[in-house]
């Protein structure tokens, strides 16, 4: 499943960086009115791959214990950045524009270089801690609603690109506050190459990507590129990077073909879910019979075409890769969204099993079990959803489904509590507190549920959120 966390109303299509700028510049009241942060994309397949790209890098950078997550931002332009020392943000556009695992891994290694080098200190000093948290909350889609891809379908990815109008004062702040200094860039390059070399990887992908930005900058419009704005790329920096990268014994090392295929599959999936249909079929013409093209075709058919044809195409994919959890996940998602939750259960069980219990897939299975409206499934749904939200604590979808499952069981105390938790994660503090207050009246005073509900009632809203 590729979930788009869709904002409730017309969100200005800002880059994440622009949001940070707006937050630094605007009074909190104005921030509250912006309400919904830029949507974040959640997808088990993509996140798993990005974890595999980053884990070795973080390990050699000495950051493995910090549980740093990669968060995918719903923006089609190229961007990647770190903002809080806990997360690396990457636009889906950066994934689409990285043709090899090595290219995006190089960018992630460079960003890790900023993290390891403590380059965020300047940002931290200048942004109040509270505001930083607000940025993160917005980036993570607090205030956003989880929805299936179909419902967000009219909001095609590429049409979202770069529509933000950036006012002059914000522009000044962006340049001065969020841009890395040249010395930091060079240090991050050096650190990135070191991490790549230490993990037996080439820095050619990093060099190729950054070189492309200097080449692009020969043309007008490079000022609009968020990545180039925050990571200045003068030609001499890129030349120094090239020299360094070429000195590595791994310069010519190619990505493992199996990993390249998974990367291609991820890009095909993102394209099919996020890009306009004509763009998808231009990238992956019907004459292209490769596995990634067939993946893109199956998803595009499920989103825009005949459901039965989509299922047949997905079955064809399963025949080719019977151990690929994401094909079963797609089959389950297509059936669930096609109003066939009972039929969705078996493929989703298989997807959960093959993915080693990926929480996002468990949430989809829980959703299918709940959607059957069959009480025989309720206890199982609750068990699966509880396991999922214990490991994936920031996804409101899991708590929302859990609330429905408890509702089916007639356990209204737990249902209220789970609804309150979902509302809290969506950034709807008032609803969260109302529901938590009601939950408290239904739990025995001092019981674990009562304590959790009390925590929500007492929780401070994120800065800028309405607290009335
Ligand atoms: Zn940089």
């Amino acid at each position: 499943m590729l979930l788009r966390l869709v904002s409730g109303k017309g969100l200005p299509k800002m880059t994440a960086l622009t949001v940070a700028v707006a937050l630094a510049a605007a009074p909190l009241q104005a921030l509250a009115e912006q309400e919904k942060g830029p949507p974040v994309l959640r997808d088990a397949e993509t996140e798993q791959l990005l974890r595999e790209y980053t884990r070795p890098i973080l390990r050699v950078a000495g950051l493995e214990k910090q549980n740093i997550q990669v968060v995918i931002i719903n923006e089609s332009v190229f961007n990647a950045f770190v903002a809080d020392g806990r997360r690396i943000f990457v636009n889906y556009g950066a994934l689409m524009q990285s043709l090899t695992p090595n290219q995006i891994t190089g960018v992630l290694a460079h960003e890790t270089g900023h993290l390891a080098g403590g380059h965020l200190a300047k940002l931290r000093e200048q942004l109040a801690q509270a505001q930083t948290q607000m940025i993160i909350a917005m980036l993570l889609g607090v205030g956003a609603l989880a929805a299936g891809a179909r419902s967000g379908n009219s909001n095609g990815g590429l049409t979202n690109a770069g529509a933000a109008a950036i006012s002059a004062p914000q522009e000044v702040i962006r340049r001065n506050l969020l841009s890395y200094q040249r010395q930091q860039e060079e240090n991050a390059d050096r650190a990135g190459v070191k991490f790549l070399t230490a993990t037996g990887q080439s820095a050619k992908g990093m060099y190729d990507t950054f070189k492309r930005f200097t080449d692009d900058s020969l043309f007008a419009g490079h000022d609009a590129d968020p990545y180039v704005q925050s990571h200045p790329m003068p030609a001499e920096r890129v030349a120094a990077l090239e020299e360094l990268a070429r000195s590595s014994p791994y310069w010519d090392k190619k990505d493992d073909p199996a990993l390249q295929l998974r990367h291609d599959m991820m890009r095909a999936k993102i394209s099919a879910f996020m890009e306009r249909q004509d763009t998808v079929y231009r990238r992956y013409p019907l004459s292209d019979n490769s596995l990634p093209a067939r993946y893109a075709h199956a998803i595009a058919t499920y989103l825009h075409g005949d459901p039965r044809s989509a299922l047949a195409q997905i079955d064809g994919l399963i025949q080719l890769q019977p151990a690929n959890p994401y094909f079963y996940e797609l089959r389950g998602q297509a059936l669930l969204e096609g109003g066939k939750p009972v039929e969705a259960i078996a493929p989703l069980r298989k997807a959960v099993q093959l993915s080693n219990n990926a929480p996002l897939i468990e949430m989809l299975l829980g959703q299918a079990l709940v959607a059957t409206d069959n009480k025989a499934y309720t206890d199982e749904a609750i068990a699966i959803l509880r396991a999922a939200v214990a490991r994936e604590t920031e996804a409101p979808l899991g708590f929302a489904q859990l609330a429905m499952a408890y509702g089916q069981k007639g356990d209204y105390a737990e249902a209220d509590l789970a609804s309150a938790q979902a509302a809290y994660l969506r950034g709807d503090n008032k609803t969260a507190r109302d529901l938590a207050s009601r939950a408290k009246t239904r739990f025995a005073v001092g019981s674990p549920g009562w304590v959790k509900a009390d925590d929500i009632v007492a929780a401070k809203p994120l800065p800028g959120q309405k607290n009335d």
Side-chain angles (χ1 to χ4, degrees):
M1 119 178 108
L2 194 139
L3 277 182
R4 297 180 206 210
L5 303 179
V6 184
S7 67
K9 62 181 181 187
L11 167 78
K13 295 304 172 196
M14 299 187 294
T15 64
L17 203 54
T18 316
V19 173
V21 167
L23 283 163
L28 287 178
Q29 189 51 44
L31 298 179
E33 284 163 12
Q34 285 181 348
E35 219 167 82
K36 317 286 198 228
V40 167
L41 302 180
R42 301 300 312 268
D43 176 57
E45 180 175 17
T46 307
E47 291 175 16
Q48 177 59 32
L49 195 55
L50 291 177
R51 265 195 298 275
E52 291 178 36
Y53 291 166
T54 46
R55 197 180 293 136
I57 301 287
L58 293 170
R59 192 183 308 130
V60 296
L63 296 169
E64 65 181 327
K65 296 232 161 63
Q66 301 186 22
N67 193 26
I68 291 166
Q69 309 287 322
V70 183
V71 178
I72 307 151
I73 304 280
N74 182 3
E75 286 285 345
S76 61
V77 292
F78 194 106
N79 205 3
F81 59 98
V82 289
D84 69 342
R86 282 188 51 217
R87 300 177 178 92
I88 300 173
F89 295 90
V90 56
N91 285 8
Y92 83 78
L95 304 179
M96 286 307 296
Q97 290 177 45
S98 297
L99 302 183
T100 65
N102 188 244
Q103 285 179 4
I104 192 66
T105 303
V107 173
L108 296 168
H110 172 93
E111 292 307 314
T112 304
H114 283 305
L115 270 180
H119 299 168
L120 295 168
K122 185 177 69 145
L123 178 67
R124 285 217 198 88
E125 274 169 30
Q126 293 182 46
L127 285 177
Q129 180 61 21
Q131 284 176 319
T132 306
Q133 280 172 9
M134 178 73 178
I135 294 166
I136 302 311
M138 293 176 80
L139 289 170
L140 286 175
V142 168
L145 176 73
R150 186 174 290 272
S151 60
N153 202 17
S154 60
N155 190 17
L158 279 187
T159 58
N160 293 346
I166 300 157
S167 68
Q170 288 176 350
E171 189 61 30
V172 170
I173 290 170
R174 159 152 45 194
R175 286 180 188 285
N176 293 332
L177 183 61
L178 295 179
S179 288
Y180 291 110
Q181 285 152 6
R182 183 155 155 211
Q183 188 58 48
Q184 294 180 326
E185 283 308 319
E186 290 171 5
N187 290 347
D189 286 344
R190 258 198 296 278
V193 174
K194 193 177 81 183
F195 301 151
L196 290 164
T197 305
T199 52
Q201 302 183 78
S202 170
K204 187 171 187 303
M206 190 207 292
Y207 164 70
D208 286 344
T209 299
F210 292 175
K211 176 74 163 50
R212 188 161 62 82
F213 285 116
T214 54
D215 290 346
D216 287 352
S217 73
L218 296 172
F219 303 97
H222 103 278
D223 276 354
D225 196 309
Y227 195 71
V228 174
Q229 282 212 339
S230 56
H231 301 71
M233 280 184 226
E236 54 272 36
R237 174 189 154 201
V238 178
L241 171 60
E242 181 180 13
E243 196 183 328
L244 197 61
R246 281 187 185 276
S247 70
S248 156
Y250 306 109
W251 168 258
D252 283 321
K253 189 172 171 185
K254 297 277 176 297
D255 286 303
D256 173 66
L259 191 68
Q260 178 69 54
L261 178 60
R262 288 176 63 199
H263 188 82
D264 295 342
M265 294 296 278
M266 170 189 74
R267 291 178 63 248
K269 178 189 233 177
I270 293 173
S271 171
F273 272 105
M274 304 306 297
E275 297 187 316
R276 291 159 44 118
Q277 214 182 337
D278 54 341
T279 307
V280 176
Y281 283 100
R282 201 164 53 243
R283 283 187 197 272
Y284 305 98
L286 282 168
S287 57
D288 183 348
N289 207 32
S290 67
L291 198 64
R294 293 180 62 171
Y295 199 22
H297 299 159
I299 295 167
T301 306
Y302 135 64
L303 290 172
H304 311 286
D306 170 28
R308 254 193 299 191
S309 167
L311 288 176
Q313 292 181 43
I314 296 166
D315 288 342
L317 292 169
I318 289 173
Q319 277 194 339
L320 291 169
Q321 284 195 344
N324 186 326
Y326 311 112
F327 292 161
Y328 292 96
E329 181 193 27
L330 181 61
R331 191 174 212 286
Q333 183 178 6
L335 287 163
L336 179 60
E337 292 188 8
K340 296 178 173 165
V342 177
E343 291 173 52
I345 290 172
L348 289 174
R349 281 194 206 286
K350 186 90 179 162
V352 165
Q353 178 218 329
L354 289 171
S355 69
N356 280 322
N357 302 77
L360 291 175
I361 303 180
E362 287 182 328
M363 287 179 194
L364 199 59
L365 172 57
Q367 186 178 355
L369 292 168
V370 169
T372 62
D373 230 355
N374 179 347
K375 285 202 170 63
Y377 289 127
T378 303
D379 286 332
E380 184 190 358
I382 289 171
I384 287 167
L385 288 163
R386 287 199 75 96
V389 299
R391 281 173 295 134
E392 176 54 66
T393 53
E394 286 172 338
L397 174 74
F399 285 104
Q401 293 300 322
L402 192 55
M404 290 175 67
Y406 278 123
Q408 282 177 351
K409 202 179 157 76
D411 187 340
Y412 299 113
E414 290 285 0
D416 278 348
L417 175 60
S419 294
Q421 285 164 316
Y424 184 73
L425 288 172
R426 284 196 308 267
D428 183 352
N429 239 63
K430 178 171 170 9
T431 305
R433 260 185 306 135
D434 289 350
L435 288 164
S437 300
R438 197 169 75 186
K440 275 176 73 178
T441 68
R442 293 177 154 157
F443 283 113
V445 175
S447 66
W450 185 92
V451 171
K452 277 187 204 158
D454 191 53
D455 284 346
I456 294 175
V457 173
K460 276 193 180 164
L462 289 162
Q465 278 181 352
K466 295 192 181 88
N467 189 24
D468 52 0

